[in-house]
Amino acid sequence: MNVHRLDKYAKSLIKVAAGRIKSSFTTDLLIETKSEANDLVTNIDKETEQFFIHHIKRDFPNHRILGEEGFGDDLHDLEGYIWILDPIDGTMNFIHQKKNFAISLGIYKDGIGVLGYIYNVMEDELISAAMDEGAYFNDVRIPAVKKANIEQSIIGINASWVVPNKHIEHEGMIKLLQKVRGTRSYGSAALEISYVVTGKLDAYMSMRLSPWDIAGGMVIAKEVGAIVTNLANEPINLLEQNTFIISKPGLHKELVTNYIRLKQ
Ligand code: 2AM
Ligand code: CA
């Protein structure tokens, strides 16, 4: 398999899928809930995933697909080529704001990240990376992330972790808020990861992300020297949900050891 050809193919599929998503704005959205009232999915999430799968299965019949909406394969291992896809990351933003959502895609071979993409559809910003070949913002090479320190950092976190909750000791989050320069929450894990790899955020963390939220971002992170682990400072498992942190160097260890106390 020629990686450059696969890269060109994946990019073109992403751009065509994005065009279809934009065209959908003229039609009524069909909105449903999944695991809970605020876990949303639309007909466009589903149609976009099916669009990818139709083309991948036709052109790469032995590749497998792990997609958020479940139209892909039922995976129990990471052997061979696997496309890990979130057709719309930030579905709530897609519905409410018609912006601030991304197509997130990672292509893995035997569990190793080969190609990664995060496409901010409405801004036409494609962050991409190929293993050992660096990361790009559209066609411009992204430099390695710089070392950060906690006092001067902007951290992506969700406000719900700062009040008592079942996942994390919120006192640690309050302590963090008082220490950092600022916090942000954008409502799309893939976009927040893209902001860390391009230096706009210094770290981003989440209590529960699925493989498709992070698979593309992990390939990109590696190419720019951003650190990715779960919140217990262990490697991510792409076959299950994980807690998650991506950080510039200089921050990661301090965040996971001094501020994050998981409850489970
Ligand atoms: P989604 O829009 O594809 O559902 C919102 O803070 C971020 O968390 C989004 O990237 C969103 O992805 C993701 N997310 C929302 N609910 C989730 C859930 N139940 N499990 C995993 N990720 C979730
Ligand atoms: Ca999604």
Side-chain angles (χ1 to χ4, degrees), residues 23-202:
S23 318
S24 78
F25 289 156
T26 55
T27 63
D28 285 338
L29 272 184
L30 203 74
I31 303 164
E32 294 169 281
T33 58
K34 294 197 281 188
S35 61
E36 38 102 0
N38 296 323
D39 186 7
L40 306 172
V41 63
T42 74
N43 55 315
I44 306 305
D45 298 65
K46 294 181 187 178
E47 282 168 34
T48 305
E49 180 163 313
Q50 285 166 320
F51 168 81
F52 272 95
I53 290 173
H54 169 79
H55 286 87
I56 298 162
K57 289 285 175 195
R58 189 194 65 192
D59 296 329
F60 303 98
N62 59 350
H63 290 197
R64 294 186 293 163
I65 300 142
L66 176 61
E68 170 159 26
E69 308 316 335
F71 298 108
D73 297 287
D74 192 14
L75 288 194
H76 301 286
D77 62 75
L78 294 174
E79 271 165 46
Y81 275 97
I82 299 180
W83 297 55
I84 305 180
L85 170 73
D86 192 344
I88 299 183
D89 185 68
T91 297
M92 196 186 288
N93 290 346
F94 170 66
I95 295 166
H96 285 256
Q97 306 179 333
K98 301 259 188 288
K99 61 185 289 195
N100 298 324
F101 60 89
I103 295 173
S104 166
L105 173 66
I107 304 178
Y108 283 67
K109 187 188 178 195
D110 299 327
I112 311 281
V114 177
L115 293 163
Y117 308 91
I118 299 170
Y119 186 49
N120 183 331
V121 172
M122 302 312 288
E123 299 294 332
D124 189 24
E125 292 174 355
L126 178 65
I127 315 284
S128 64
M131 183 174 64
D132 298 332
E133 294 188 16
Y136 288 81
F137 179 104
N138 291 331
D139 292 323
V140 180
R141 179 83 182 241
I142 302 172
V145 290
K146 295 201 177 77
K147 203 162 176 268
N149 68 66
I150 200 147
E151 289 85 0
Q152 293 170 332
S153 63
I154 306 181
I155 313 264
I157 54 168
N158 189 313
S160 55
W161 314 122
V162 188
V163 293
N165 67 83
K166 63 174 190 259
H167 297 288
I168 191 169
E169 301 291 351
H170 71 285
E171 291 87 354
M173 289 290 105
I174 294 174
K175 200 170 85 172
L176 179 62
L177 244 66
Q178 290 165 337
K179 186 91 170 173
V180 296
R181 181 168 276 172
T183 59
R184 299 287 185 272
S185 183
Y186 295 95
S188 157
L191 283 184
E192 295 180 89
I193 293 167
S194 83
Y195 297 153
V196 176
V197 298
T198 53
K200 300 176 179 91
L201 286 176
D202 297 284

